[in-house]
Amino acid sequence: MKTLYISLICLLLMVSCKSDTSKTPISETVKELSITEKIANAHGFKNWKNVSEVKFTFQVDRDTIKGKGRSWTWFPKEDKIKMKTDETTVEYIRNQMDSTHVKADQAFINDKYWLLVPFQLAWDNSATISEPVIINAPISKTQLNMLTIAYPNEGGYTPGDAYDIYYDNDFIIKEWVFRKGNSKEPSLTTTFENHKDYNGIKIATDHKKADGNWNLNFTDVRITLDK
């Protein structure tokens, strides 16, 4: 009788455990972020959806000579652009532009690419992204992670170009090499430094060559968020 009683208890415990297991929720698989997504997020990409206006001035200084700047106002949700230089002012909407806007738009695409390189890695779906490697960076000579973004030979203002992006273990870009037409030899190599935070968007405001006498930089940067 005692043996039968113990057997009944064991049977009840087994049924109970099976029932509890069947009610345990199955967790959803968490998607691993790509390297480009991690780089973009490290620079504040998750905040981009709230950006309503971007202002910045792009210029290149050589030695002690200040470059002539191009000042931009960009409303990304409408893709409305305003460019102001010492010589001219141009306004247009990118999906409504005509031949008179092409020169200004080429400058905008160039300047915006420098400003938001980390986000371009996430935006540019047509580009090919290599697997990352660990390598000595060309300017600092320190070990960094490196990946290459290469653009197709057709489409855009400068098809076929490639960029070697050097970033640290926090996914912050530190240097890059531009290779025009995906050439083997570098066309331009600069640092990414003096990072500043603008409403959650992290931007490198200085880009210097190895000798330090050339500095592509951004001033008057302002990022406005939706109210």
Side-chain angles (χ1 to χ4, degrees):
M1 189 69 174
K2 183 177 181 181
T3 302
L4 178 61
Y5 178 73
I6 293 173
S7 298
L8 287 171
I9 291 176
C10 290
L11 180 60
L12 288 171
L13 287 173
M14 290 174 63
V15 172
S16 177
C17 290
K18 184 176 180 181
S19 177
D20 290 342
T21 302
S22 66
K23 292 179 182 179
T24 303
I26 300 174
S27 60
E28 295 182 1
T29 302
V30 178
K31 180 185 176 183
E32 175 68 19
L33 293 177
S34 67
I35 297 298
T36 54
E37 288 172 325
K38 290 178 180 179
I39 294 172
N41 286 343
H43 293 81
F45 188 59
K46 290 182 178 180
N47 298 311
W48 181 256
K49 63 182 181 297
N50 300 317
V51 174
S52 58
E53 183 183 54
V54 178
K55 287 189 173 185
F56 64 96
T57 296
F58 170 102
Q59 61 190 24
V60 179
D61 301 333
R62 293 172 174 84
D63 295 320
T64 59
I65 301 172
K66 286 285 185 182
K68 292 184 177 181
R70 291 190 290 254
S71 295
W72 298 97
T73 301
W74 176 30
F75 301 92
K77 288 180 168 53
E78 298 86 13
D79 226 356
K80 183 178 179 180
I81 313 294
K82 179 179 180 180
M83 180 190 76
K84 186 176 181 180
T85 67
D86 290 341
E87 294 81 22
T88 188
T89 298
V90 179
E91 294 186 59
Y92 62 99
I93 298 174
R94 294 203 71 232
N95 63 6
Q96 299 175 17
M97 61 185 235
D98 56 37
S99 59
T100 65
H101 303 127
V102 170
K103 188 174 180 179
D105 196 58
Q106 288 175 328
F108 171 71
I109 293 300
N110 176 79
D111 298 0
K112 185 258 295 183
Y113 197 99
W114 278 91
L115 184 79
L116 298 173
V117 174
F119 296 176
Q120 296 293 157
L121 294 175
W123 285 334
D124 294 342
N125 296 325
S126 64
T128 300
I129 308 291
S130 72
E131 288 295 320
V133 296
I134 298 175
I135 192 171
N136 286 338
I139 295 179
S140 67
K141 308 303 181 184
T142 58
Q143 277 202 339
L144 292 172
N145 307 287
M146 189 272 280
L147 59 78
T148 297
I149 178 169
Y151 288 90
N153 292 323
E154 296 180 356
Y157 292 126
T158 55
D161 290 344
Y163 300 83
D164 302 321
I165 309 292
Y166 295 81
Y167 61 98
D168 63 19
N169 290 334
D170 293 322
F171 302 98
I172 299 297
I173 298 178
K174 295 296 186 179
E175 300 180 24
W176 78 347
V177 174
F178 163 60
R179 294 183 288 111
K180 185 174 178 60
N182 205 1
S183 63
K184 290 184 179 180
E185 295 301 317
S187 304
L188 178 64
T189 303
T190 75
T191 62
F192 277 60
E193 54 186 280
N194 198 15
H195 288 82
K196 295 181 180 179
D197 190 293
Y198 300 93
N199 277 328
I201 306 297
K202 186 175 290 186
I203 292 172
T205 55
D206 289 297
H207 303 270
K208 299 178 182 180
K209 291 183 179 180
D211 60 13
N213 295 324
W214 185 99
N215 182 19
L216 186 154
N217 59 92
F218 296 99
T219 59
D220 308 316
V221 179
R222 190 172 75 185
I223 306 290
T224 303
L225 305 183
D226 292 327
K227 294 180 180 180

